[in-house]
Amino acid sequence: MKYPEKLAPGATIGLVCTSSAISREREAQCTEAIRQLGYKVKTADNLSQNLAGYMAGDGETRATWINCMFADPEVDAIFCIRGGDGGSRTIEYLDLKTIKANPKIFVGYSDVTSFHLIFNQICGFVTFHGPMVSSNMVDSFDDESRASLFQALNADAPYEFKNPDGYDLKVLQEGEGEGTLVGGNFALLGASMGTPYEVNTKGKILFIEEIGETMSRIDRLVYQLKNSCKLKECAGILLGQFTRCPNKDMPEYTELNIFKDALADLNIPVMYNIQAGHGQPNMTLPLGAHCIISTKTKTICFDQIKR
């Protein structure tokens, strides 16, 4: 799996809306936030183009801008403005030949998960599950999230993923495992099933995070993956932030109980409390990278970085 080139000082970052739109005022704030980090900016012209109340233009418009940013030789990296809804409408319009020929830093999470799967599994390059511009960088880009993002973008092998101070990595099931890191938002992983970019977990480390889903919905997603052998096939599991995922009837029964039940008959190492997802801080994970996890040492390491 190919790593994109590092993000050099003064590089040009292209800003795209793969899903939902922002206001014109917010667009200006996003541009300024990137400039304050020391980078030049190119913006897609649909960032504030609101369609049907929640999408930044139609699917073809959004895909065209993604294609343009990958094709543009002046653009060194592509940062997603935000997640939201409607990313799946763009997929049929993506120019995968051009994208594969021009691997670049690509950063985002949430509804962006579909693009991570496509760029990792079909286009063959590493992408980054990390902070987005409007969602994270404008108002509250904390030091831990910032440091984690730029460590991941510019890493040399090997390097170790670290949670922020005060957030210990925890163990649900003991063991060691290694393989390509795949995953992202749980709802989008479920939605990938039966599509050409269906999440491939065979021999891989699976990362999962979620926001705003009930325990009954999470239970269905867990057993969807188990019944399709996606859990059985993976080499390990990393559970990120499950933000605002309530169980009103039995608050003490959480996603950890569901995963523990589902994995009881599977010899798979599982670590949780990884601070990546919809919370703050929001640490960065290189999806598509070779990952080694150990519950004994409570470490998550990445090696085999090839640019």
Side-chain angles (χ1 to χ4, degrees):
M1 190 77 69
K2 183 176 177 57
Y3 259 77
E5 294 299 323
K6 295 180 181 182
L7 189 62
T12 297
I13 295 177
L15 302 186
V16 297
C17 270
T18 61
S19 303
S20 296
I22 56 174
S23 67
R24 290 189 180 278
E25 178 183 8
R26 193 66 169 179
E27 181 178 340
Q29 293 172 337
C30 289
T31 299
E32 181 59 23
I34 296 300
R35 286 175 177 157
Q36 288 295 322
L37 291 172
Y39 301 103
K40 296 188 283 290
V41 183
K42 277 196 172 186
T43 59
D45 67 4
N46 67 310
L47 304 187
S48 55
Q49 182 180 325
N50 200 351
L51 177 70
Y54 62 92
M55 290 178 289
D58 61 24
E60 186 172 7
T61 297
R62 283 175 281 138
T64 295
W65 274 106
I66 296 168
N67 297 336
C68 286
M69 291 297 184
F70 275 101
D72 189 339
E74 293 184 355
V75 173
D76 301 295
I78 302 165
F79 284 12
C80 296
I81 289 285
R82 58 164 298 181
D85 296 287
S88 59
R89 296 193 184 197
T90 72
I91 290 167
E92 63 182 296
Y93 303 107
L94 291 174
D95 181 355
L96 298 182
K97 182 177 180 181
T98 295
I99 293 170
K100 184 175 183 178
N102 296 280
K104 297 179 182 182
I105 288 169
F106 180 83
V107 185
Y109 64 97
S110 192
D111 201 49
V112 179
T113 294
S114 299
F115 301 95
H116 287 306
L117 292 174
I118 291 167
F119 298 160
N120 295 162
Q121 297 180 172
I122 299 176
C123 296
F125 63 91
V126 171
T127 59
F128 300 91
H129 187 286
M132 294 186 287
V133 187
S134 179
S135 304
N136 305 97
M137 297 182 187
V138 172
D139 299 321
S140 55
F141 199 22
D142 59 273
D143 291 341
E144 292 90 348
S145 300
R146 184 195 307 248
S148 179
L149 172 63
F150 289 106
Q151 180 195 33
L153 299 186
N154 297 315
D156 293 307
Y159 91 94
E160 182 178 348
F161 170 88
K162 293 282 191 180
N163 258 358
D165 290 341
Y167 296 87
D168 294 335
L169 294 175
K170 298 182 179 181
V171 175
L172 190 67
Q173 288 195 173
E174 299 283 351
E176 297 182 348
E178 64 177 286
T180 300
L181 181 66
V182 298
N185 180 261
F186 209 176
L188 273 296
L189 295 176
S192 77
M193 302 295 287
T195 71
Y197 58 94
E198 177 178 310
V199 60
N200 176 3
T201 64
K202 190 171 185 178
K204 296 177 170 59
I205 305 296
L206 177 62
F207 165 71
I208 301 172
E209 64 86 27
E210 190 49 272
I211 184 172
E213 297 284 3
T214 62
M215 280 301 116
S216 60
R217 168 68 172 156
I218 290 173
D219 189 273
R220 287 194 293 272
L221 285 166
V222 170
Y223 280 88
Q224 180 185 21
L225 292 190
K226 179 167 185 177
N227 293 335
S228 59
C229 296
K230 296 296 182 181
L231 299 183
K232 179 181 180 180
E233 291 178 344
C234 68
I237 297 174
L238 300 176
L239 299 178
Q241 297 159 335
F242 281 69
T243 305
R244 299 196 303 276
C245 292
N247 186 346
K248 295 180 181 179
D249 296 329
M250 190 182 294
E252 66 275 15
Y253 189 82
T254 72
E255 71 279 354
L256 296 178
N257 299 97
I258 297 172
F259 276 102
K260 189 172 184 179
D261 290 344
L263 295 166
D265 60 340
L266 301 177
N267 185 26
I268 300 169
V270 183
M271 298 173 69
Y272 68 97
N273 204 39
I274 287 83
Q275 293 303 300
H278 282 78
Q280 189 178 359
N282 185 2
M283 314 301 273
T284 298
L285 289 165
L287 298 174
H290 186 257
C291 181
I292 305 168
I293 67 172
S294 170
T295 63
K296 182 177 181 180
T297 58
K298 294 184 180 179
T299 54
I300 302 169
C301 296
F302 296 94
D303 62 357
Q304 301 181 17
I305 295 177
K306 299 175 182 179
R307 300 186 189 278

